[in-house]
């Protein structure tokens, strides 16, 4: 067993040592002992396992999330669920799985278009399914697909029986009519996403080779099967799992935490520096600009969120950059705060925490300091360049708020004059779409506007789904560009988002009391393209490389980045937003590395006001080394953990209570399985041989003196 | 495939070894000691062989798969030669021990005959080499899958188990023949043992062409078994005598048992 | 210890100690007592201390039976109702199974 236990890792030998020599190959013996002696577990794999299993490496599981009352997501059994693969490409294929097939349970390989609520609820009711692998559909489904809710974040926004009861529970408008709520269902079998078309093809080939019914007869063993491991530790609800975690950590010698709250950090910065520790004067006024930076999909850590998050926060970043370039910006009477909320998808984690901190004096800015609020919701899919201004009808019953909102909208409309877009007001009686602003309204009446590309329901047909990718916001690059050219290529999407950013920046300038000419304020379409490329296509690009800290190189990757909040801070999105914001709004200061990393040691009087980052800089075109430098910015991060966990109110209906279950093992593999008959035959042969050996040995041993006595040598009675 | 196949293959591979151990070795402490020490000798031989192979692999070009295959064959041959060398060393050691035991015992006779030692040491080599060759495979047989997704034979587990069974038997027979040849200085028999060991080892390189490896290996096993039987003092006459006296005894078994039970106790 | 080599008084003494020790919520002592002295109490040829040993063994057996009944009942109730008890069930558990209610 020791040999087996040591051979856990990958093998470096490649094809050199072939392990199909049966049990007797001396090489096997050598290797077996080598495992024991050298303990080289990390560099040797078990090649018998390689002959049996093909691991699926490019998959994403559906995991269990919990809130105050429910569990959602998927669960496999502890040792993984195994089933015979059946490929379902059209509805009729399901008959085999649900009724005709003789080898249940089946592991269904489902085409992306068929992944619908009806079919999933149907599969949920049968015991002939052991799991599901969903192949991502390319192109994205025509009819749209959103596993989110029809009424996102229902119950945690501002509208309730006390506040605009006629608007509560999306009574007025169904914001996400395509939402089928699949993400919020609980499945008792594992569901995996197959992200790689090649792997999907391998599975299908195995299916075609072994499982395809041949001219009407049932397929014969060995059959191709798949095993999915996604056993979740948490169960029932956040109340239960957090209680268990806390009991365990109090009493148990070997505490087993079963779930963690979804949490990360909000990123924020101010136009004029403020002292983050002592706060600002009660009379100071701040305009808050807000966007969310997270998204979600049915599958864990698959959240491209192009339209639902990236388009808006990229616009926001571009507007911040444009404003910082204005010369007289430090003279403006009002300050502007650029706020990037994390975890908004899960019942407003980021914004509810910031409001909670503001109310409890744990934030440098108080609610009373807020002059007005401007939120950028989904903005990329505009119909004939119209951007809609959503306002809250309930708070506008207050005259002064109404006047302020009117001013806000007028300023926005004025700023858009001359730009290639129009801003329009939605009907006065329509409530706000799901937005962070609602959490602020919940605490205090504030004048605010939410900008969005939709008038009523979302124009995004792939809200919170795996298909909300760069293609969804119509980002198209010409063929044959190098990565470097792609990074700087200004797409139409980038142009139109830059326009939005320009309008927002100009409006903010005026709202902050700026009186200068606004026509000079202009967001840079090239910056927008770079950000879109970085946040949607590939984070590992030369620009991102140059603006991050040296030791964070690992967070850049060649895959499209995902914007799921997760449970362990800081996630890539948050850090990247932080560095991009610092880069776009900060200034390069002449600090040494030592000073930059420890600004409290310098004599600078402004060190309380700023954040300093030592970034690795861009590559010198003539050499391979980088020129690092120090960036001074007003960027801060504050915790985005729902106050429910701060208050230990795990059953809260006021604050988000989403937690993510823990797990030990998530993986998928395919292999062949033998028929029960062959297994039984093997066992019977084994038992027969054992019994025969016992009998034969007994008799030979009993008769040994007769058998092995040679007449000439009576003394040599052997056995 | 699960526990069914695991137990099936384990019984096939180690059923005979278990029966032999339980009924002929376990009852006698001296035989158990010889068994464990023999296993240790085999392990040392494997250690040396694996070191040689490991070093040669590290010194050679690891990208060259043909060369590596050659090295594997070379390693197998070295391992076989080392095993036989250690069998000889163990023989020498047991001879010495035997003399010591003889002087210690009251009647000046060794409590264990050389043939018995040969048999136990052969069994020990067989068990330990069987364990080392099949344990990885048995561990993988617990999982749900069987070999074959890359087109290999699905009978991999059961053939491996049968090969292991043959290995256990072969080592036992080789042990008996080897010790006897050493004692009687019949060098041609020693050569034959080493050669058949090399051939058996080489035959496994024909896997997964199982009929080409299993059948010859079992032919070798049976011929070695017959040879070992005669070496150990068996003869056709003895077999007949045994069969006949079994019948004779069967008729009287009641009488004997009635008489013998209190005595044995 | 081989009981056959122990004098009879010593046997009685041991049996009494095990019987009394069982009252300290140690039913396993009663179990040992019953198994160990069963032969002495009921099968061995009669001797003076035997009636007393017999009575200790019998009482140990009754105590043991009581514990078996109590524990079996409790384990059954606990296993079938733990999930339903919710918070109480979690507090009563030393190890909480993962992934099931």
């Amino acid at each position: 067993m020791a040999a087996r236990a040591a051979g856990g890792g990958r093998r470096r030998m490649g094809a050199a040592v072939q392990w199909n020599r049966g049990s007797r190959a001396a090489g096997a013996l050598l290797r077996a002992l080598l495992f024991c002696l050298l303990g080289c577990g990390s560099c040797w794999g078990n090649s018998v396992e390689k002959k049996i299993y093909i691991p699926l490496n490019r998959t994403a599981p559906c995991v269990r999330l919990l809130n105050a009352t429910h569990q959602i997501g998927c669960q496999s059994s502890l040792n993984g669920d195994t089933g015979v693969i059946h490929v379902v490409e059209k509805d009729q294929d399901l008959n085999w799985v649900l009724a005709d097939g003789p080898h249940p349970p089946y592991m269904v390989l489902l085409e992306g278009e068929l992944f619908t609520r009806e079919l999933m609820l149907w599969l949920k009711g049968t015991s002939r399914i052991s799991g599901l692998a969903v192949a991502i559909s390319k192109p994205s489904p025509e009819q749209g697909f959103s596993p989110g809710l029809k009424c996102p974040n229902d119950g945690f926004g501002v509208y309730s029986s006390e506040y605009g009861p006629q608007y509560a529970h999306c009574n007025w408008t169904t914001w996400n009519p395509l939402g089928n709520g699949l993400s919020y269902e609980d499945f008792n079998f594992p569901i995996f996403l197959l992200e790689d078309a090649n792997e999907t093809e391998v599975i299908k080939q195995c299916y075609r080779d072994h499982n395809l019914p041949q001219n009407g007869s049932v397929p014969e063993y060995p059959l191709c099967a798949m095993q999915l491991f996604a056993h979740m530790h948490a169960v029932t609800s956040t109340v239960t799992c957090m209680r268990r975690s806390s009991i365990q950590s109090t009493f148990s010698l070997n505490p087993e935490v079963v779930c963690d709250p979804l949490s990360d950090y909000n990123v924020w910065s101010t136009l004029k520096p403020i002292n983050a520790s002592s706060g600002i004067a009660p009379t100071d006024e701040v305009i808050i600009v807000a966007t969310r930076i997270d998204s979600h999909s049915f599958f864990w850590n698959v959240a491209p969120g192009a339209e639902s998050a990236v388009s808006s926060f990229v616009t926001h970043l571009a507007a911040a950059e444009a404003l910082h370039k204005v010369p007289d910006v430090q003279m403006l009477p009002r300050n502007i705060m650029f706020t990037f909320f994390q975890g908004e998808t899960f019942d407003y984690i980021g914004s509810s925490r910031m409001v909670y901190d503001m109310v409890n004096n744990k934030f440098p800015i108080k609610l009373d300091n807020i002059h007005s609020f401007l939120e950028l919701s989904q903005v990329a899919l505009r119909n004939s360049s119209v951007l809609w201004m959503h306002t809250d009808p309930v708070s506008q019953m207050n005259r002064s708020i109404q006047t302020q909102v009117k001013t806000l909208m007028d300023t926005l409309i004025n700023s858009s004059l001359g730009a290639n877009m129009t801003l329009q007001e939605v009907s006065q009686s329509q409530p706000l779409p799901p937005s962070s602003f609602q959490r602020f309204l919940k605490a205090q009446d504030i004048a605010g506007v939410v900008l969005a590309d939709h008038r009523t329901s979302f124009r995004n047909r792939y809200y919170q789904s795996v298909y909300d990718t760069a293609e969804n916001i119509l980002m198209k690059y010409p063929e044959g560009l190098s990565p470097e050219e792609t990074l700087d290529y200004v797409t139409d999407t980038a142009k139109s988002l830059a326009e939005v950013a320009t309008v927002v920046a100009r409006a903010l300038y005026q709202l902050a009391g700026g009186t200068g000419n606004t026509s000079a304020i202009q967001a840079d379409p090239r910056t927008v393209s770079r950000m879109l490329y970085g946040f949607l296509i590939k984070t590992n690009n030369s620009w991102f490389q140059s603006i991050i800290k040296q030791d964070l190189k690992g967070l850049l990757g060649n895959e499209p980045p995902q914007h799921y909040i997760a449970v362990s801070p800081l996630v890539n999105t948050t850090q990247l937003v932080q560095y991009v914001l610092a880069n776009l709004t900060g200034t390069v200061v002449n600090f040494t590395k030592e000073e930059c990393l420890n600004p409290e040691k310098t004599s600078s009087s402004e060190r309380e006001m700023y954040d300093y980052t030592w970034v690795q800089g861009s590559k010198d075109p003539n050499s391979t080394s980088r020129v690092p430098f120090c960036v001074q910015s007003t960027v801060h991060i504050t915790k985005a953990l729902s106050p429910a966990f701060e208050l230990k109110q795990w059953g809260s209906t006021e604050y988000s209570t989403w937690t993510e279950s823990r797990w030990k093992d998530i993986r998928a593999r395919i292999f062949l399985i033998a028929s029960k008959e062959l297994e039984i035959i093997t066992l019977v042969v084994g038992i027969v041989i054992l019994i025969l050996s016992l009998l034969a040995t007994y008799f030979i041993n009993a008769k040994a003196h007769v058998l092995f006595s040679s007449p000439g040598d009576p003394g040599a009675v052997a056995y | 495939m699960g526990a069914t196949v695991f137990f099936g293959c384990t019984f096939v591979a180690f059923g005979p070894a278990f029966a032999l151990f339980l009924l002929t070795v376990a009852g006698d402490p001296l035989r158990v000691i010889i068994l464990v020490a023999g296993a240790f000798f085999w392990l040392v031989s494997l250690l040396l062989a694996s070191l040689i192979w490991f070093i040669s692999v590290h010194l050679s070009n690891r990208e060259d798969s043909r060369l590596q295959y050659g090295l594997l064959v070379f390693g197998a041959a070295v391992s076989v030669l080392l095993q036989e060398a250690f069998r000889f060393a163990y023989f020498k050691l047991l001879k010495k021990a035997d003399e010591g035991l003889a002087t210690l015992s009251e009647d000046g006779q060794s409590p264990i005959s050389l043939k018995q030692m040969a048999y136990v040491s052969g069994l020990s080599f067989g068990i330990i080499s069987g364990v080392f060759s099949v344990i990885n495979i048995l561990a993988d047989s617990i999982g749900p899958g069987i070999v074959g997704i890359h087109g290999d034979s699905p009978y991999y587990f059961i053939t491996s188990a049968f090969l292991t069974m043959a290995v256990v038997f072969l080592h036992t027979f080789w042990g008996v023949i080897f010790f006897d040849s050493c004692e009687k200085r019949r060098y041609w028999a020693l050569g034959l043992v080493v050669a058949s060991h090399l051939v058996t080892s080489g035959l496994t390189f024909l896997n997964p062409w199982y009929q080409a490896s299993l059948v010859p290996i079992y032919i070798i096993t049976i011929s070695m078994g017959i040879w070992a039987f005669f070496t150990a003092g068996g003869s056709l006459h003895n077999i007949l005598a045994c069969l006949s006296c079994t019948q004779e005894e069967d008729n009287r078994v009641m009488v004997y048992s009635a008489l013998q039970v209190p005595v044995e106790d | 210890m081989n009981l056959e080599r122990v004098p009879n008084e010593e046997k009685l003494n041991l049996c009494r100690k095990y019987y009394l020790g069982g009252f300290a919520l140690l039913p396993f002592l009663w179990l040992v007592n019953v198994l160990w002295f069963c032969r002495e109490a009921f099968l061995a040829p009669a001797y003076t201390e035997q009636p007393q040993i017999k009575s200790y063994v019998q009482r140990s057996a009754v105590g043991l039976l009581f514990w078996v009944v109590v524990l079996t009942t409790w384990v059954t109730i606990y296993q079938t109702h733990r999930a339903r008890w919710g918070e109480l069930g979690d507090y009563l558990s030393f190890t909480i199974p993962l992934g099931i209610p």
Side-chain angles (χ1 to χ4, degrees):
Chain A
M1 279 311 192
R4 156 96 178 147
R10 292 279 145 253
R11 193 164 60 112
R12 285 206 197 121
M13 293 301 293
V17 180
Q18 298 175 17
W19 175 242
N20 56 352
R21 313 260 157 259
S23 61
R24 185 57 192 88
L29 311 183
L30 309 178
R31 285 240 322 268
L33 190 63
L34 276 177
F35 287 146
C36 307
L37 293 172
L38 305 174
C40 190
S42 57
C43 55
W44 298 84
N46 183 335
S47 40
V48 181
E49 201 173 316
K50 280 190 183 170
K51 290 233 156 279
I52 305 174
Y53 303 106
I54 299 181
L56 305 173
N57 298 322
R58 296 286 317 279
T59 57
C62 149
V63 305
R64 179 174 282 170
L65 301 181
L66 310 102
N67 70 5
T69 48
H70 288 79
Q71 60 180 25
I72 63 168
C74 312
Q75 167 81 313
S76 83
S77 57
L78 187 59
N79 295 315
D81 286 332
T82 305
V84 176
I85 296 171
H86 194 79
V87 176
V88 173
E89 282 168 328
K90 48 191 186 300
D91 281 332
Q92 297 91 293
D93 294 341
L94 268 179
N95 291 340
W96 181 266
V97 173
L98 295 176
D100 303 340
H103 310 297
Y106 281 96
M107 195 58 86
V108 176
L109 176 59
L110 197 66
E111 286 299 319
E113 305 94 71
L114 295 176
F115 187 54
T116 58
R117 184 180 179 84
E118 295 70 48
L119 189 133
M120 288 309 293
L121 291 186
W122 197 13
L123 294 186
K124 215 174 149 176
T126 166
S127 60
R128 287 175 59 95
I129 298 286
S130 59
L132 202 65
V134 181
I136 200 161
S137 107
K138 276 202 173 109
S140 307
E142 272 300 304
Q143 68 277 17
F145 174 75
S146 171
L149 294 169
K150 282 194 165 48
C151 185
N153 295 3
D154 185 24
F156 290 83
V158 69
Y159 303 111
S160 64
S161 48
E162 285 100 54
Y163 192 98
Q166 70 274 34
Y167 305 125
H169 312 302
C170 296
N171 271 346
W172 201 271
T173 327
T174 304
W175 294 107
N176 185 25
L178 287 169
N180 58 23
L182 265 186
S183 287
Y184 296 85
E185 288 289 330
D186 181 40
F187 297 96
N188 58 1
F189 50 82
I191 304 176
F192 277 55
L193 175 70
L194 303 171
E195 295 177 293
D196 186 23
N198 294 337
E199 277 188 358
T200 312
E201 195 41 49
V202 168
I203 302 172
K204 283 187 178 171
Q205 190 56 47
C206 186
Y207 162 77
R208 283 192 290 267
D209 288 348
H210 297 99
N211 298 4
L212 215 52
Q214 298 291 342
N215 48 46
S217 65
V218 293
E220 280 177 23
Y221 282 102
L223 294 170
C224 192
M226 179 158 32
Q227 189 175 25
L228 302 178
F229 297 80
H231 182 252
M232 298 292 138
H233 292 180
V235 78
T236 313
S237 67
T238 291
V239 181
T240 304
C241 78
M242 289 301 286
R243 180 181 65 228
R244 287 183 179 181
S245 297
S246 74
I247 292 174
Q248 287 273 303
S249 49
T250 322
F251 296 112
S252 177
L253 295 173
N254 183 20
E256 183 104 47
V257 173
V258 292
C259 64
D260 304 285
L262 294 181
S263 78
D264 204 70
Y265 280 83
N266 296 324
V267 180
W268 60 277
S269 80
T270 49
L271 193 60
K272 297 189 279 180
I274 58 170
N275 191 326
S277 46
S278 61
I280 61 171
T283 48
D284 285 358
E285 285 185 316
V286 176
I287 300 160
I288 293 185
V289 194
T291 45
R292 63 173 61 182
I293 55 173
D294 78 307
S295 185
H296 179 48
S297 81
F298 186 82
F299 300 99
W300 182 74
N301 208 19
V302 178
E307 158 78 341
S308 65
V310 176
S311 71
S312 53
F313 77 71
V314 162
T315 311
H316 185 172
L317 287 164
E321 186 202 20
L323 267 174
H324 270 270
K325 281 192 198 152
V326 179
D328 64 338
V329 82
Q330 298 297 331
M331 310 298 151
L332 293 175
R334 297 192 184 102
N335 203 345
I336 299 173
M337 176 176 160
F338 304 101
T339 322
F340 299 84
F341 290 119
Q342 182 61 274
E344 295 298 276
T345 309
F346 295 96
D347 299 338
Y348 307 117
I349 295 172
S351 53
S352 64
R353 179 56 187 265
M354 190 175 277
V355 171
Y356 174 83
D357 285 345
M358 285 178 170
V359 170
N360 291 290
N361 291 328
K362 289 174 187 164
F363 201 77
I365 295 162
K366 310 285 166 294
L367 283 174
D368 290 327
N369 294 118
I370 300 172
H371 171 264
S372 52
F373 199 103
L374 180 63
E375 177 161 355
L376 288 164
S377 185
Q378 314 179 65
V379 291
L381 295 172
R382 300 198 302 282
N383 189 9
S384 56
S385 287
V386 179
L387 203 55
W388 296 94
M389 296 183 290
H390 297 262
T391 54
D392 171 43
V394 183
S395 60
Q396 283 192 71
M397 304 220 241
N398 177 335
R399 279 282 156 208
S400 70
I401 296 287
Q402 193 186 20
T403 329
Q404 280 191 56
V405 171
K406 188 86 181 86
T407 323
L408 196 52
M409 288 198 290
D410 288 343
T411 317
L412 279 163
I413 290 167
N414 280 336
S415 311
S416 72
L417 296 176
N420 189 17
M421 58 175 286
T422 48
L423 278 164
Q424 288 188 21
E425 197 183 331
V426 297
S427 112
Q428 277 284 343
S429 54
Q430 185 178 299
L432 285 170
S435 51
S436 314
F437 179 41
Q438 294 199 16
R439 292 301 303 198
F440 285 79
L441 272 180
K442 217 173 163 160
Q444 189 161 333
D445 279 355
I446 297 169
V449 168
V450 176
L451 294 178
D453 56 15
H454 55 90
R455 181 178 189 173
T456 52
S457 53
F458 296 161
R459 292 182 57 76
N460 185 0
R461 292 182 304 141
Y462 305 110
Y463 186 70
Q464 290 177 1
S465 80
V466 294
Y467 304 112
D468 192 2
T469 54
E471 289 93 71
N472 186 31
I473 58 169
L474 311 171
M475 263 171 68
K476 283 196 189 74
Y477 293 101
E479 299 268 326
L481 291 184
S482 71
E484 214 46 38
E485 289 165 340
T486 325
L487 176 64
D488 284 335
Y489 182 84
V490 180
T491 55
D492 292 342
T493 313
K495 279 183 203 153
S496 86
L497 289 180
E499 271 167 17
V500 179
T502 305
V503 171
V504 167
R506 288 176 183 175
L508 285 171
Y509 177 74
Q510 290 177 344
L511 286 169
T515 50
N517 187 0
T518 57
S519 61
I521 306 176
Q522 190 74 44
D524 183 6
R526 206 169 129 263
T527 315
V528 176
S529 346
R530 289 173 148 211
M531 288 192 283
L532 285 176
Y533 182 80
F535 286 113
L536 288 175
I537 315 278
K538 200 160 89 171
T539 50
N540 194 6
N541 58 65
S542 62
W543 186 48
F544 276 13
Q545 282 163 10
S546 70
I547 62 168
I548 61 162
K549 281 188 192 167
Q550 171 110 47
D551 51 346
L552 292 175
K553 272 186 294 185
L555 62 88
L556 301 183
N558 294 325
E559 305 294 324
Q562 309 299 342
H563 308 293
Y564 171 63
I565 171 172
V567 294
S568 52
L570 290 145
V571 293
N572 295 357
T573 314
T574 311
Q575 299 199 53
L576 290 173
V577 166
Q578 188 190 348
Y579 288 111
V580 170
L581 185 62
N583 182 271
L584 294 180
T585 65
T587 48
V588 177
V589 286
N590 193 14
F591 278 16
T592 63
K593 185 178 184 183
E594 190 67 14
E595 289 169 334
C596 194
L597 295 177
N598 305 296
E600 66 278 359
K601 286 182 188 158
T602 63
S603 53
S604 167
S605 59
E606 287 175 325
R607 61 177 188 270
E608 287 274 295
M609 323 281 268
Y610 291 106
D611 176 70
Y612 296 90
T613 324
W614 185 252
V615 301
Q616 59 177 357
S618 50
K619 265 196 186 123
D620 200 329
N622 300 325
S623 73
T624 51
S625 63
R626 294 174 181 277
V627 189
F629 54 90
C630 189
V631 176
Q632 170 187 276
S633 69
T634 60
V635 177
H636 301 277
I637 55 171
T638 53
K639 212 163 182 33
L641 166 69
S642 168
F645 297 99
E646 207 80 343
L647 301 165
K648 297 204 181 240
Q649 293 171 355
W650 299 319
S652 172
T653 52
E654 163 85 11
Y655 298 111
S656 165
T657 51
W658 286 106
T659 49
E660 183 186 275
S661 170
R662 286 204 180 179
W663 59 80
K664 280 208 173 70
D665 193 15
I666 284 190
R667 63 198 161 102
R669 56 188 188 179
I670 60 169
F671 47 86
L672 297 186
I673 53 167
S675 62
K676 278 272 166 278
E677 291 78 58
L678 185 62
E679 295 188 12
I680 300 293
I681 288 170
T682 311
L683 182 63
V684 168
V685 167
I687 291 173
V688 166
I689 285 184
L690 179 67
I691 293 171
L692 278 181
S693 329
L694 283 169
L695 288 176
T697 314
Y698 178 79
F699 280 112
I700 292 177
N701 193 35
K703 297 279 156 277
H705 59 284
V706 185
L707 264 179
F708 298 109
S709 64
S710 49
D713 184 16
V717 175
Y719 311 104
Chain B
M1 291 240 278
T4 332
V5 173
F6 172 78
F7 283 111
C9 289
T10 312
F11 290 158
V12 169
F14 296 112
F18 173 74
L20 289 173
F21 172 77
L22 192 74
L23 297 173
T24 63
V25 176
D28 183 349
L30 199 55
R31 292 185 192 182
V32 174
I33 292 171
I34 293 173
L35 186 94
V36 173
F40 176 74
F41 265 71
W42 186 89
L43 277 178
V44 175
S45 83
L46 185 66
L47 169 66
L48 288 180
S50 54
L51 276 179
I52 291 169
W53 177 74
F54 188 75
I55 291 165
S56 65
V57 163
H58 273 259
L59 293 179
S60 63
N61 175 17
R62 280 200 251 178
E63 304 306 313
D64 185 351
S65 64
R66 273 185 59 103
L67 175 68
Q68 291 301 326
Y69 187 69
L71 277 179
L72 190 64
V73 177
F74 162 75
V78 167
S79 171
V80 167
L81 295 177
L82 274 170
Q83 284 175 44
E84 295 303 332
F86 271 82
R87 204 196 297 275
F88 183 71
Y90 193 45
F91 166 75
K92 281 287 178 196
L93 184 81
L94 285 180
K95 281 290 278 184
K96 279 254 179 262
D98 199 36
E99 289 164 17
L101 285 172
T103 51
L104 280 180
S105 68
E106 288 166 5
D107 56 354
Q109 280 237 317
S110 168
I112 186 165
S113 76
L114 189 77
K115 283 182 177 167
Q116 284 170 333
M117 291 198 289
Y119 158 74
V120 177
S121 75
L123 183 65
S124 75
F125 270 50
I127 290 176
I128 192 76
S129 71
V131 164
F132 265 75
S133 58
V134 87
I135 200 87
N136 271 342
I137 297 160
L138 285 181
D140 277 309
S141 74
I142 295 179
I146 58 164
V147 172
I149 195 156
H150 298 293
D152 309 301
S153 165
Y155 302 109
Y156 179 80
F157 291 132
I158 188 79
T159 46
S160 299
F162 272 103
L163 267 175
T164 308
M165 182 167 93
V167 165
V168 175
F169 277 129
L170 270 173
H171 267 289
T172 313
F173 301 150
W174 283 331
V176 171
I177 300 168
F178 192 98
F179 277 43
D180 186 66
S181 312
C182 283
E183 184 70 11
K184 293 175 181 158
R185 299 185 186 279
R186 276 192 296 202
Y187 297 110
W188 61 270
L190 284 185
L192 214 56
V193 166
V194 176
S196 66
H197 195 167
L198 279 171
V199 168
T200 313
S201 202
L203 279 171
T204 61
F205 281 86
L206 291 174
N207 286 341
W209 187 22
Y210 293 118
Q211 58 272 45
S213 60
L214 262 184
V215 173
I217 285 176
Y218 266 86
I219 291 172
I220 294 177
T221 310
I222 291 167
S223 18
M224 283 294 150
I226 294 166
W227 187 9
F229 176 71
F230 285 109
T231 312
S235 64
L236 226 59
H237 169 262
N238 283 355
I239 295 177
L240 293 175
C242 177
L243 288 175
S244 58
C245 83
T246 307
Q247 284 168 349
E248 279 173 42
E249 197 173 64
D250 276 351
N251 299 336
R252 284 182 244 162
V253 76
M254 297 298 290
V255 187
Y256 273 127
S257 58
L259 281 171
Q260 280 171 354
V261 165
V263 181
E264 275 178 14
D265 206 12
Chain C
M1 193 192 294
N2 190 349
L3 272 187
E4 286 176 19
R5 294 184 195 165
V6 176
N8 290 337
E9 303 97 85
E10 195 66 16
K11 281 184 206 165
L12 177 62
N13 196 17
L14 261 176
C15 189
R16 187 194 293 117
K17 275 182 187 160
Y18 270 76
Y19 167 68
L20 293 177
F23 282 105
L25 304 181
L26 297 170
F28 272 92
L29 283 188
W30 283 338
L31 176 67
V32 171
N33 209 10
V34 169
L35 294 179
W36 203 15
F37 285 97
C38 194
R39 188 184 283 261
E40 282 297 322
F42 300 106
L43 301 177
Y47 50 90
T48 34
E49 288 86 358
Q50 201 186 31
Q52 270 178 288
I53 290 182
K54 195 185 268 181
S55 100
Y56 285 138
V57 169
Q58 279 166 344
R59 289 190 219 172
S60 295
V62 171
L64 180 67
L65 192 71
F66 168 77
W67 271 99
V68 167
V69 169
V70 168
L71 284 180
T72 316
T73 319
W74 165 244
V75 169
T76 315
I77 294 174
Y78 172 80
Q79 291 294 349
T80 51
H81 288 68
R82 183 188 56 78
R84 228 174 301 166
W85 289 337
E87 195 172 346
L88 178 70
D90 286 353
Y91 280 107
L92 284 176
S93 305
F94 190 69
T95 48
I96 302 172
L98 298 176
I100 54 170

